[in-house]
Amino acid sequence: MAAAVVLRPVCRLCRVVLFLSQFYILSGGESTDIPPYVMKCPSNGLCSRLPADCIDCKTNFSCVYGKPVTFDCTVKPSVTCVDPDFKSQKSFVLNMTCRFCWQLPEADYECVSSSNCRAVSCPRQRYATNCTVRDHIHCLGNRTFLKMVYCNWTGGYKWSTALALRDLIMMYPGISFFQLILFRVCLTS
């Protein structure tokens, strides 16, 4: 009974401290904002597989182009990752190929396509577009860059497809232009 009398004021004090700490946080005294990069960072994944937005690396721009290179990296605050033995890590070594982002193969970045291209022009028309490296690819320099890209004036169709359709049509000489249009409408709907 005596222990309950002693514990009652301690419990009240704990409740008051808890209330005041929550009030302090809600009043803006402590930031509870989640950094925007955290949404891209998988939790408890391998450190070496984290997207570039989730890590900070000490890069060496004097590496030899195309050769393997290692960089010392640390995870950003609020990011958790593990090594291959599933032990929590804050620092790790990243292995990659020495190259700037604009030197990557086309499969490793995405570019904004233009709708300002003319149907056919000779020589083939080019336009400047913004390209962004995919999240899981690591490279040196800016991850967003300008690139001159050829216009895709074919509309996505290949010449081989056109030739195959021509040969198919030649086998049936009685097909009219109107029937071909209806055939295409049926295929696309």
Side-chain angles (χ1 to χ4, degrees):
M1 189 71 173
V5 173
V6 173
L7 287 177
R8 191 171 289 145
V10 172
C11 288
R12 284 185 185 157
L13 180 64
C14 288
R15 288 184 192 138
V16 170
V17 168
L18 179 63
F19 172 76
L20 290 175
S21 65
Q22 289 175 344
F23 181 74
Y24 176 72
I25 290 172
L26 293 175
S27 67
E30 183 178 311
S31 175
T32 58
D33 292 337
I34 297 172
Y37 60 82
V38 172
M39 301 308 274
K40 291 183 177 183
C41 305
S43 179
N44 294 323
L46 288 175
C47 294
S48 59
R49 299 260 173 113
L50 283 174
D53 291 342
C54 305
I55 59 176
D56 289 318
C57 295
K58 295 177 186 170
T59 55
N60 179 3
F61 291 102
S62 64
C63 58
V64 178
Y65 173 74
K67 298 289 183 188
V69 65
T70 58
F71 295 124
D72 294 326
C73 301
T74 56
V75 293
K76 289 185 177 178
S78 303
V79 176
T80 57
C81 68
V82 295
D83 65 2
D85 297 327
F86 299 106
K87 294 177 184 169
S88 182
Q89 297 267 296
K90 289 291 181 190
S91 299
F92 63 98
V93 174
L94 178 69
N95 298 312
M96 60 180 265
T97 303
C98 178
R99 59 185 166 198
F100 285 92
C101 295
W102 57 269
Q103 296 172 317
L104 291 169
E106 288 185 25
D108 291 342
Y109 57 85
E110 294 176 342
C111 297
V112 178
S113 59
S114 173
S115 60
N116 295 335
C117 293
R118 285 184 264 146
V120 178
S121 65
C122 190
R124 215 166 142 199
Q125 188 179 2
R126 298 173 85 168
Y127 64 96
T129 184
N130 281 324
C131 298
T132 304
V133 177
R134 297 184 191 276
D135 287 340
H136 65 283
I137 303 296
H138 298 283
C139 54
L140 300 173
N142 293 330
R143 298 184 61 78
T144 301
F145 53 92
L146 276 177
K147 183 167 181 141
M148 293 298 289
V149 179
Y150 284 111
C151 287
N152 183 14
W153 51 268
T154 63
Y157 295 105
K158 296 180 184 176
W159 286 107
S160 59
T161 305
L163 291 174
L165 288 174
R166 183 201 66 181
D167 292 343
L168 180 67
I169 292 168
M170 294 300 278
M171 291 188 327
Y172 303 103
I175 295 177
S176 69
F177 180 72
F178 179 71
Q179 289 169 327
L180 290 174
I181 292 174
L182 286 177
F183 177 72
R184 181 171 181 200
V185 168
C186 290
L187 285 179
T188 57
S189 63

